[in-house]
């Protein structure tokens, strides 16, 4: 038997798990969950390095790939999917690959995680891209295959695990490894390790999008307004961002062809939609920079 990673060890605080009252059981799970953000906080410098890699890749026209199996793969798919409506990201820019393919999202395909060759063949990786392997144990063969293929293609590599001693770490340019310790239920990494992965991927992708200029202040100016609720939110964002009334914001949105970012610039800088669009194009979509370039306005 190989040495157990931290995620596979027994938790001494939960040995009486099956004899606890319901409220005590829940209290124990909650107490363990509260340790996760602290573990994530300890690896923020490594996460920052990963974000900088992703920003360089996407701003250079390259892709980000998430690769994972089981719980890790499902969390990765969720994060990638939500970037599309939240930040208006094209589906082919941040792509998630899960062992076993789409069916594994709802019907676990545990054997697929052992297929290293399949991991290496998930995509035609290219130099300049970033491949993010997500594996709680830090051992998954499917992820190993992807990281090896990424290295061979000249792509950057990131490993997100809950095992600081991961044997896959040498394959990663950056290893983000919060030590979440043994699970309440031994080996059930959908719990603390999975929570850590959710926190890390949310932070990774959100910080990347902010650095790419896909927000203005803390507002989602690049979101896709695909239903009534989101169209209302887009209007509220314009009001919040500019201080203009709703009617003025509606007019600006119409003139901007529904592009909230263009509307923000026209309302704050007092320019036409075409001028705003040009300024945004010249500043890679960064609203503050566009406003500064148009009449020296500092927002």
């Amino acid at each position: 038997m190989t040495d157990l990673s931290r995620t596979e060890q027994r938790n001494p605080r939960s040995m009486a798990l099956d004899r606890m009252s319901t409220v005590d059981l829940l209290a124990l799970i909650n107490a363990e969950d509260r340790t996760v953000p602290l573990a994530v906080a300890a690896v923020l410098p490594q996460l920052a390095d990963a974000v900088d890699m992703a920003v360089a890749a996407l701003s250079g026209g390259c892709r980000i790939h998430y690769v994972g199996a089981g719980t890790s793969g499902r969390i990765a798919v969720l994060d990638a999917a939500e970037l599309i409506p939240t930040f208006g990201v094209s589906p082919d820019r941040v792509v998630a690959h899960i062992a076993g393919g789409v069916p594994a999202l709802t019907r676990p395909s545990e054997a697929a995680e052992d297929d290293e060759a399949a991991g290496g063949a998930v995509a035609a990786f290219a130099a300049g891209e970033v491949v993010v392997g997500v594996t709680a144990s830090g051992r998954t063969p499917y992820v190993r295959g992807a990281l090896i293929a990424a290295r061979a293609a000249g792509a950057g590599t990131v490993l997100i695990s809950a095992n600081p001693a991961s044997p896959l770490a040498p394959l990663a340019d950056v290893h983000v490894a919060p030590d979440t310790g043994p699970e309440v239920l031994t080996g059930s990494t959908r719990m603390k390790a999975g929570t850590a992965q959710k926190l890390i991927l949310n932070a990774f992708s959100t910080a990347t999008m902010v650095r790419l200029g896909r927000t203005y202040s803390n507002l989602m100016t690049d979101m896709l307004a695909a239903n009534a609720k989101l169209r209302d939110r887009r209007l509220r964002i314009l009001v919040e961002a500019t201080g203009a009334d709703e009617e003025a914001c509606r007019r600006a949105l119409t003139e901007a062809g529904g592009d909230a970012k263009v509307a923000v610039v026209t309302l704050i800088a007092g320019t036409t939609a075409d001028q705003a669009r040009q300024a945004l194009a010249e500043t890679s979509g960064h609203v503050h920079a566009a406003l500064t370039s148009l009449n020296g306005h500092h927002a």
Side-chain angles (χ1 to χ4, degrees):
M1 180 182 295
T2 57
D3 291 337
L4 293 180
S5 66
R6 292 273 284 159
T7 59
E8 298 295 329
Q9 294 171 2
R10 292 184 72 183
N11 189 327
R13 294 175 293 280
S14 62
M15 293 294 194
L17 194 67
D18 58 343
R19 301 188 300 280
M20 289 180 169
S21 69
T22 302
V23 70
D24 286 345
L25 171 56
L26 294 173
L28 174 61
I29 292 171
N30 181 251
E32 292 290 315
D33 285 344
R34 290 201 301 273
T35 68
V36 176
L38 296 177
V40 172
V43 298
L44 292 182
Q46 291 78 27
L47 185 54
D49 289 341
V51 168
D52 290 342
M53 288 174 62
V55 170
L58 290 172
S59 62
C62 298
R63 298 179 296 175
I64 305 297
H65 298 268
Y66 292 162
V67 182
T71 297
S72 300
R74 285 185 278 275
I75 290 171
V77 169
L78 175 65
D79 191 75
E82 291 182 345
L83 298 183
I84 300 168
T86 307
F87 297 106
V89 176
S90 173
D92 62 354
R93 301 304 309 284
V94 181
V95 186
H97 311 275
I98 182 171
V102 173
L105 290 173
T106 55
R107 294 294 180 106
S109 179
E110 304 295 356
E113 73 175 60
D114 291 334
D115 193 339
E116 184 172 321
V122 293
F125 300 134
E129 296 185 337
V130 175
V131 177
V132 182
V134 190
T135 161
S137 68
R139 298 176 180 275
T140 307
Y142 181 80
V143 172
R144 174 183 169 81
L147 293 177
I148 290 173
R151 274 274 170 96
T157 52
V158 174
L159 175 64
I160 297 173
S161 82
N163 180 8
S166 166
L168 302 188
L171 296 173
D173 298 317
V174 176
H175 184 198
V176 185
D179 187 357
T180 52
E183 300 286 1
V184 166
L185 183 63
T186 306
S188 182
T189 52
R190 71 188 183 88
M191 300 183 77
K192 290 191 299 182
T195 299
Q197 290 173 341
K198 179 71 162 62
L199 292 176
I200 286 169
L201 285 176
N202 276 175
F204 169 78
S205 57
T206 300
T208 296
M209 294 300 141
V210 171
R211 299 291 293 158
L212 287 169
R214 289 182 176 266
T215 62
Y216 173 60
S217 180
N218 59 355
L219 300 171
M220 295 186 289
T221 48
D222 281 41
M223 61 174 280
L224 296 181
N227 60 32
K229 179 189 76 172
L230 295 177
R231 285 189 287 274
D232 286 345
R233 180 182 293 167
R234 181 178 60 184
L235 189 61
R236 289 198 308 274
I237 285 171
L238 269 182
V239 172
E240 287 279 350
T242 67
D245 61 43
E246 285 193 11
E247 189 51 44
C249 289
R250 282 197 185 90
R251 285 198 304 271
L253 261 179
T254 299
E255 291 167 4
D259 189 323
K261 187 177 281 185
V262 170
V264 166
V265 174
T266 62
L267 287 165
I268 294 177
T271 60
T272 66
D274 285 343
Q275 290 171 321
R277 197 171 283 110
Q278 178 66 25
L280 286 165
E282 291 171 354
T283 56
S284 301
H286 289 260
V287 173
H288 279 286
L291 290 171
T292 299
S293 74
L294 279 164
N295 63 26
H297 184 102
H298 292 276

